[in-house]
Amino acid sequence: MAADDFKRIFESLRVAVVITDPRGKVSFANSAFAQLASQEGETSGLELVKLFAAEDRKRVLQNITRVGDGKAGSAFFDAMLNPAGKTPHWVSVALQPSLDAKGKATGVIAILQDIGSQRETDEALNLVSARLLAVTESSPIAIMIETAPGDVELANDAFVHLLGLKSAAQSLSGLRVDDVMDEAPSASMLMERVQILVEGEPGGAVWLPRAGAGESTEFEKGAAEIALIEKIGEELSVALEGMAAISIRAQQMEFDQAIVAHFQSIRTSTETAMAAIGDLVDFSKLSGGITLHKKGFRLRASLAELISRVAATAEEKKCHLRIKVEQDVSDALEGDIDRLQLILKNLLDNAFVLMPGAEIALHIMPEYTTETGIQLSFSVVASGSVAQASGAKSADAGMGVAVAKFMVAAMGGKLAIALRAGAEALYSFSIEFPVLPTPAAPERASYASLVALSVLVVSGDPAQRLHLSNLLRGWRMVPLEADNASMAMALLERLEEENNPIPLVILANQLPVQDGFLLAFRIKHHARFHSTLVMMLCSEGRPGDAIACRENGISAYMRYPIGDRQLNEAVIAVTGASVDAEETPTLVTRHSLREQRKGATILLVDRSRDSQILAAHILGRHDCSVVVAQDLAEAIAALDQDVYDLVLVDTTLAGLTGEDAATLLRVRIARDPQNTRIVATSLEHGPIFRAEKLAQGFNATTAKPFRKEPLLALLRRDEPAAAT
């Protein structure tokens, strides 16, 4: 579609759209944007960031630069739009990269929406909710507030104590009132329901104690029990913190594995004891504080170690675990990494329990940089149909969340918790870290030959593993197989201990529990595997995969099914390159492999071995690359995987004898199909054959056996084009 067509479409939209270069200079804006930003006349050449309030400009510019440079696939944030001399107002901003024909970012598309009235409404509702919550929680009288649909909106500690419930008051939010009342056999005798009417219609209810219900001695007894449990929880938290530090130090100092396992078993027992009283303790009310132990650490390596600790729980709950650390998140930081790991582990574990079967992702992105360091945003996000269907339980329940809230506050942040389990971001918080100098990346080893090179194939599909292993054996490589991420990590660790490390891993993008991107992240940021090369074979590509590859240290990204020759080229490019692929902006893909070729790329669809050898000999002497397909199915697969300058087709093959043969092949060409020449070949070549094939949509014809001059003439496009 032409640029003018795009502009006409954008101009017709009611939402404000603006296109900028990678540094935020406006190249196009529609009338809705001009109205929103109060801009009269020509908008081209304006600096978008200057339309925002001064305190937001740095953050806006950083997000535009990240998206414009291809470091992030998108960005979403709220900011104050403040054009000179006009009334400032809040807008939501969504940024997407503007891509060229090769999929590279050349600018930024920004969509702005006025949210001033929405924020005012939200602030008013939040104020009302905060006051209601404060009144309810501070009241010594048992209170539960019911919504119109019959769910618990709020409940206080006195309500929980009076009914003898085993859950914390916060964890009741979102549950059905009937279910809560059924947990206490005497609830109907202790509480009475007072209905709330809104404009004559039922709008919920307030539950209050019946006259004479609940003696003070019982309340005092419950308070004493809670105080005792809080004391136990405090002591257990100290024990857990100590055992966490000991087990981590034991691993770092390479103690005997039996000793490390013993420390970890004690740590697990302590965590189990804490979980047993989780709903009865609120750590935010504990006396005293904690002392932060700040030190330098590598963020991504610490996250890779964290994943190994939570993967088993994710698998048990059938959750699909993902992690996204944006490229411009600094890796060398200073802070209390042990407590940060504990915070993230608690939140992830709680998310797995809260929504079994959902996709749970940990997102880490930079909010902004300061003179002293970088402000990082952490969020645990739930997505998928299971996440949307959940919502019966509060995300604020349990000891793990209470501990996380307490420790986030100690580290200078505030933990935001979703009101209901169906919300997208279950947990989020921001913490500032000092940034340390980044150490130089280690040099990557290169390999002169593929012979005897070990390679680990990771895929949940047995047929895919068999196909790839057979190809690799044909090149005299030594393939090993794993059907999941846990097995892959175990194999890598075992062979590393045996002084026989695996230099190359080829993995599928779809794996159970952990996807291929997460496994690649764990491998590349493992203390002993950072030099291991990782290639990904993707069955179903998604927008943003190239950025995800760079974020997770993947050196090559190819579509599957993949041709033998194309896979061989990719393996050679990754293992034999003179420069580190991870330190260059170019990810090895089918397009980058094609750009490295000197001559034309030709697809030969022919079963004859003699024809294949002859065509490869003639065309190879002119720097051409020849890909062979034996039948129609292989031809379609080859066209799906690569771009060809010329397609030579033996029209006697099954499926290619009909009048639609040229159309069958041309519809599989994704890029510029009309400019790709499809040539019919035959031993029975003659004027009648030629006229027939040109009429069917072939661009040209040529005779078999192949001869040098006619083939070179096809490369020069000397043959007449097909009739239309």
Side-chain angles (χ1 to χ4, degrees):
M1 185 180 293
D4 291 341
D5 295 331
F6 276 115
K7 291 182 178 180
R8 279 194 292 271
I9 293 174
F10 286 148
E11 191 61 46
S12 66
L13 297 176
R14 295 183 178 179
V15 65
V17 179
V18 58
I19 302 176
T20 75
D21 67 8
R23 296 298 175 265
K25 183 169 290 187
V26 175
S27 59
F28 169 77
N30 65 358
S31 56
F33 171 80
Q35 182 178 359
L36 179 65
S38 303
Q39 294 297 307
E40 298 178 359
E42 182 63 37
T43 56
S44 296
L46 287 174
E47 294 186 37
L48 182 60
V49 294
K50 291 186 176 180
L51 299 178
F52 289 87
E55 59 271 19
D56 287 334
R57 289 176 185 174
K58 185 175 181 180
R59 182 163 56 95
V60 173
L61 180 59
Q62 287 178 347
N63 280 283
I64 289 175
T65 303
R66 289 171 52 243
V67 174
D69 289 343
K71 293 180 179 178
S74 60
F76 303 91
F77 56 90
D78 295 344
M80 180 71 76
L81 195 65
N82 188 19
K86 304 296 181 180
T87 304
H89 49 280
W90 283 97
V91 295
S92 67
V93 184
L95 304 179
Q96 295 285 341
S98 176
L99 305 177
D100 61 14
K102 295 182 178 180
K104 294 183 179 179
T106 58
V108 177
I109 300 174
I111 301 175
L112 288 73
Q113 185 173 1
D114 191 339
I115 58 170
S117 58
Q118 176 185 335
R119 286 181 67 94
E120 291 176 1
T121 302
D122 289 345
E123 288 174 1
L125 289 174
N126 289 338
L127 181 59
V128 172
S129 299
R131 289 174 176 171
L132 181 60
L133 178 62
V135 170
T136 303
E137 289 187 340
S138 63
S139 173
I141 302 172
I143 299 175
M144 180 178 69
I145 299 176
E146 177 184 342
T147 65
D151 298 334
V152 176
E153 179 68 26
L154 293 172
N156 62 2
D157 290 338
F159 174 82
V160 172
H161 298 156
L162 180 61
L163 269 63
L165 300 175
K166 296 181 180 180
S167 300
Q170 299 94 327
S171 67
L172 300 180
S173 297
L175 298 180
R176 298 291 301 172
V177 170
D178 292 343
D179 295 338
V180 173
M181 302 302 281
D182 288 344
E183 290 186 21
S186 58
S188 59
M189 294 183 293
L190 296 175
M191 302 292 294
E192 64 177 342
R193 184 177 184 272
V194 180
Q195 190 175 50
I196 299 173
L197 297 178
V198 179
E199 297 182 355
E201 298 293 331
V206 177
W207 290 78
L208 298 170
R210 294 184 183 275
E215 298 295 332
S216 61
T217 55
E218 290 296 322
F219 183 86
E220 291 171 0
K221 179 181 177 182
E225 291 175 349
I226 292 299
L228 176 60
I229 292 173
E230 286 184 350
K231 181 63 177 175
I232 295 172
E234 186 173 11
E235 296 299 326
L236 283 174
S237 69
V238 175
L240 176 60
E241 182 181 340
M243 289 313 305
I246 291 172
S247 61
I248 291 171
R249 298 297 182 275
Q251 289 176 319
Q252 292 173 343
M253 297 176 66
E254 298 184 354
F255 276 30
D256 183 88
Q257 288 299 313
I259 298 177
V260 175
H262 180 63
F263 285 147
Q264 290 177 335
S265 67
I266 299 175
R267 178 179 177 178
T268 302
S269 299
T270 308
E271 289 177 341
T272 303
M274 290 183 71
I277 63 169
D279 285 336
L280 298 178
V281 182
D282 184 353
F283 262 67
S284 64
K285 296 179 181 179
L286 296 182
S287 60
I290 60 175
T291 302
L292 298 178
H293 303 290
K294 296 183 179 180
K295 61 182 179 181
F297 66 92
R298 301 294 293 271
L299 176 64
R300 289 168 176 81
S302 302
L303 294 173
E305 193 274 332
L306 169 68
I307 293 167
S308 65
R309 293 165 53 190
V310 301
T313 307
E315 184 172 6
E316 177 187 348
K317 298 300 181 180
K318 295 181 171 30
C319 289
H320 193 77
L321 177 61
R322 301 193 67 184
I323 187 168
K324 179 177 177 59
V325 185
E326 303 217 3
Q327 293 177 81
D328 49 350
V329 170
S330 301
D331 194 51
L333 304 174
E334 183 181 60
D336 194 333
I337 183 56
D338 295 336
R339 285 191 172 85
L340 180 61
Q341 284 183 321
L342 181 58
I343 291 169
L344 296 176
K345 180 182 184 300
N346 286 354
L347 298 181
L348 288 171
D349 283 344
N350 207 64
F352 301 148
V353 174
L354 196 64
M355 285 183 291
E359 180 179 286
I360 306 297
L362 172 61
H363 290 181
I364 303 175
M365 62 178 293
E367 284 195 348
Y368 53 85
T369 57
T370 67
E371 294 181 357
T372 57
I374 185 170
Q375 185 88 3
L376 293 183
S377 170
F378 300 80
S379 58
V380 176
V381 178
S383 59
S385 57
V386 176
Q388 296 301 321
S390 302
K393 186 178 179 182
S394 170
D396 198 15
M399 171 73 78
V401 177
V403 172
K405 187 187 300 183
F406 184 53
M407 290 190 174
V408 168
M411 297 177 74
K414 182 179 180 180
L415 181 64
I417 304 174
L419 295 178
R420 297 179 184 274
E424 182 182 357
L426 288 177
Y427 309 104
S428 59
F429 61 93
S430 297
I431 298 177
E432 183 176 329
F433 296 92
V435 178
L436 302 177
T438 303
E443 292 186 6
R444 189 192 71 180
S446 60
Y447 303 89
S449 172
L450 300 183
V451 176
L453 194 71
S454 298
V455 55
L456 176 60
V457 179
V458 188
S459 172
D461 183 357
Q464 185 181 25
R465 293 199 307 272
L466 178 62
H467 172 231
L468 293 173
S469 295
N470 288 339
L471 282 179
L472 297 167
R473 288 190 189 95
W475 304 329
R476 293 189 288 174
M477 301 178 75
V478 182
L480 301 170
E481 297 182 20
D483 62 3
N484 61 65
S486 298
M487 181 184 291
M489 293 301 297
L491 275 172
L492 288 168
E493 290 172 356
R494 190 190 75 191
L495 290 172
E496 174 70 24
E497 291 171 359
E498 295 174 357
N499 293 320
N500 187 25
I502 298 175
L504 176 63
V505 177
I506 301 177
L507 51 82
N509 67 323
Q510 295 180 343
L511 296 172
V513 182
Q514 307 172 39
D515 65 2
F517 291 109
L518 184 61
L519 176 57
F521 182 90
R522 293 182 63 185
I523 293 172
K524 294 303 295 183
H525 299 291
H526 192 284
R528 291 178 288 172
F529 306 146
H530 55 76
S531 62
T532 301
L533 304 169
V534 180
M535 296 176 56
M536 175 173 283
L537 298 181
C538 175
S539 300
E540 295 179 2
R542 297 189 300 183
D545 276 359
I547 293 175
C549 286
R550 296 187 178 97
E551 290 173 345
N552 295 287
I554 296 171
S555 299
Y557 177 85
M558 311 295 292
R559 293 296 300 271
Y560 188 86
I562 187 170
D564 304 4
R565 175 178 171 277
Q566 194 176 67
L567 178 61
N568 185 263
E569 285 183 344
V571 171
I572 291 174
V574 170
T575 59
S578 59
V579 295
D580 192 340
E582 294 163 1
E583 295 182 350
T584 67
T586 303
L587 175 72
V588 176
T589 64
R590 60 178 183 174
H591 302 301
S592 67
L593 290 175
R594 175 180 171 80
E595 289 173 356
Q596 293 172 5
R597 298 169 190 159
K598 296 180 180 179
T601 303
I602 298 165
L603 174 62
L604 174 62
V605 188
D606 198 314
R607 189 183 297 276
S608 169
R609 182 62 175 166
D610 291 338
S611 296
Q612 296 170 7
I613 294 174
L614 186 57
H617 174 73
I618 295 172
L619 297 168
R621 295 174 68 89
H622 290 78
D623 293 326
C624 295
S625 299
V626 180
V627 177
V628 174
Q630 304 283 346
D631 52 32
L632 176 60
E634 289 188 9
I636 290 175
L639 290 170
D640 287 342
Q641 296 165 18
D642 210 340
V643 179
Y644 300 91
D645 301 294
L646 187 65
V647 181
L648 302 175
V649 185
D650 182 347
T651 54
T652 64
L653 295 177
L656 295 170
T657 59
E659 296 182 356
D660 60 346
T663 303
L664 284 174
L665 297 173
R666 199 174 298 279
V667 296
R668 309 300 299 203
I669 301 173
R671 184 185 296 180
D672 200 7
Q674 297 305 320
N675 199 40
T676 302
R677 308 194 76 210
I678 303 179
V679 179
T681 70
S682 175
L683 292 169
E684 306 297 332
H685 185 270
I688 296 177
F689 173 84
R690 177 182 179 77
E692 179 182 286
K693 296 307 175 185
L694 290 177
Q696 292 174 4
F698 286 90
N699 296 91
T701 64
T702 191
K704 293 173 56 178
F706 296 125
R707 291 182 296 116
K708 177 180 177 180
E709 288 305 323
L711 286 181
L712 297 182
L714 290 172
L715 292 178
R716 295 192 301 266
R717 293 179 173 262
D718 290 348
E719 286 282 330
T724 57

